């Protein structure tokens, strides 16, 4: 069942989304060689509480933290740790969700650590972020979830990378995960038709190598099967009669 949101609900979701954005901006500014992913976690938790919001991930299915921090070959759901110290040349995906006044926001970025990023990794970040922008451009009345996924897949594969199949985006609102599922692959014109007030979190996960993923023994961290690097970007986006409304920017 898909819950379409009213104008006043979208206004609340915009507030949650803006908090997520400010938390991610603050955490991004801290990313540097020698910083641990637990340092990022602690800064994020403090910021979230400062805004009077609650973290969306901590406690969700017993997930222990407010951020997911996924380094290099980790795709998503990396658990912050003081033992995971970032170093020059790494890339780190930072995923954050909050709930304010009963409504959720969810967004992710992937950023380079230090100054010298390998050209292939810069391309991975650019292609993944652009695939998200192209997917957002499909968020229009009459388009379908298949159009959104196809936009990601077409662009990523045209650039020689692959999209992860095991994890997908999702509807979002008064729960972190609502219907429909939003895969990063699909067929144009297929799947759920987008209607006014639908809100979806679109989150392309892109591997340099093969698309396969597996989950580590910690039961959370998803890594690429072939060890290749992976990037992840996410926005929470509403369907309006005027086109896409990005709630997390
Ligand atoms: N952005 C991810 C998602 O929507 C993060 C969830 S982490 C979890 O699924 F711990 F909350 F599951
Ligand atoms: Co999400």
């Amino acid at each position: 069942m898909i819950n379409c949101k009213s104008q006043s609900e979208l206004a609340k979701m915009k507030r949650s989304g803006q908090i997520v954005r400010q938390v991610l901006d603050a955490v991004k500014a801290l990313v540097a060689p020698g910083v641990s992913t637990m340092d990022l976690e602690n800064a994020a938790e403090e910021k979230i509480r400062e805004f009077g919001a609650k973290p969306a991930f901590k406690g969700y299915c017993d997930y222990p933290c407010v951020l997911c921090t996924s380094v290099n070959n980790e795709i998503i759901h990396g658990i912050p740790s003081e033992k995971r110290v970032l170093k020059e040349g790494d890339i780190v995906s930072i995923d954050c969700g909050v709930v304010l006044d009963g409504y959720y926001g969810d967004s992710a970025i992937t950023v380079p650590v230090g100054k010298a990023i390998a050209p292939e990794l810069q391309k991975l970040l650019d292609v993944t972020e652009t695939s998200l922008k192209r997917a957002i451009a499909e968020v229009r009345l009459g388009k379908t979830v298949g159009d959104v996924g196809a936009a990601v897949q077409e662009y990523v594969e045209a650039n020689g990378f692959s999209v992860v199949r095991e994890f997908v985006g999702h509807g979002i609102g008064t729960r972190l995960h609502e219907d429909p599922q939003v895969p990063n692959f699909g067929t144009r014109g297929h799947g759920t038709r987008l209607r006014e007030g639908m809100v979806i979190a679109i989150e392309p996960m892109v591997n340099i190598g093969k698309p396969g993923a597996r989950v580590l023994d910690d039961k959370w961290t998803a890594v690429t099967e072939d060890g290749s690097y992976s990037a992840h970007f996410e926005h929470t986006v509403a369907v309006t009669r005027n086109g896409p409304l990005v709630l997390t920017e």
Side-chain angles (χ1 to χ4, degrees):
M1 188 200 62
I2 297 172
N3 298 311
C4 292
K5 279 78 179 175
S6 66
Q7 292 289 342
S8 73
E9 288 182 292
L10 291 185
K12 287 183 183 180
M13 293 192 74
K14 181 75 195 175
R15 294 219 301 278
S16 305
Q18 283 173 326
I19 291 171
V20 172
R21 183 85 272 122
Q22 290 176 81
V23 172
L24 286 175
D25 285 348
V27 171
K28 178 181 179 179
L30 298 176
V31 169
V35 171
S36 79
T37 53
M38 186 55 82
D39 296 332
L40 304 181
E41 163 75 14
N42 290 337
E45 179 147 34
E46 193 180 329
K47 259 288 190 248
I48 291 168
R49 310 270 179 212
E50 223 173 86
F51 285 118
K54 287 205 184 106
F57 301 169
K58 198 172 184 170
Y60 181 89
C61 299
D62 292 326
Y63 185 75
C65 291
V66 310
L67 294 182
C68 300
T69 51
S70 309
V71 182
N72 296 344
N73 61 310
E74 297 169 356
I75 303 168
I76 50 166
H77 299 168
I79 303 173
S81 159
E82 55 276 323
K83 283 185 253 160
R84 193 69 194 251
V85 178
L86 299 172
K87 57 184 199 311
E88 181 84 28
D90 285 346
I91 56 172
V92 58
S93 154
I94 305 162
D95 191 348
C96 183
V98 307
V99 56
L100 180 78
D101 206 4
Y103 287 85
Y104 284 78
D106 188 6
S107 182
I109 54 176
T110 305
V111 297
V113 180
K115 290 174 200 72
I117 182 172
E120 179 78 344
L121 293 182
Q122 186 62 58
K123 181 184 167 192
L124 175 67
L125 303 193
D126 293 343
V127 167
T128 308
E129 188 168 21
T130 301
S131 77
L132 173 56
K133 290 221 170 79
R134 293 171 80 116
I136 290 169
E138 300 288 330
V139 177
R140 301 187 165 277
L141 298 182
K143 295 271 194 174
T144 67
V145 166
D147 290 314
V148 172
V152 173
Q153 184 176 18
E154 286 164 7
Y155 186 73
V156 167
E157 292 180 353
N159 280 283
F161 298 146
S162 61
V163 294
V164 172
R165 312 292 203 272
E166 287 89 339
F167 302 94
V168 297
H170 49 94
I172 178 169
T174 55
R175 288 175 296 130
L176 176 62
H177 295 143
E178 298 185 355
D179 289 336
Q181 292 198 352
V182 183
N184 298 300
F185 53 91
T187 307
R188 289 192 179 271
H190 284 230
T192 303
R193 202 157 286 280
L194 300 180
R195 295 197 309 276
E196 197 172 355
M198 280 177 56
V199 183
I200 54 176
I202 307 172
E203 46 183 319
M205 290 150 254
V206 175
N207 300 349
I208 286 185
K210 295 199 166 66
R214 68 185 172 89
V215 175
L216 298 184
D217 288 339
D218 66 12
K219 302 274 205 296
W220 281 102
T221 312
V223 300
T224 58
E225 257 174 349
D226 64 3
S228 69
Y229 282 54
S230 186
H232 176 218
F233 282 84
E234 176 177 23
H235 270 306
T236 298
V237 186
V239 183
T240 81
R241 67 185 69 181
N242 303 316
L245 175 62
V246 181
L247 301 172
T248 42
E249 72 180 8

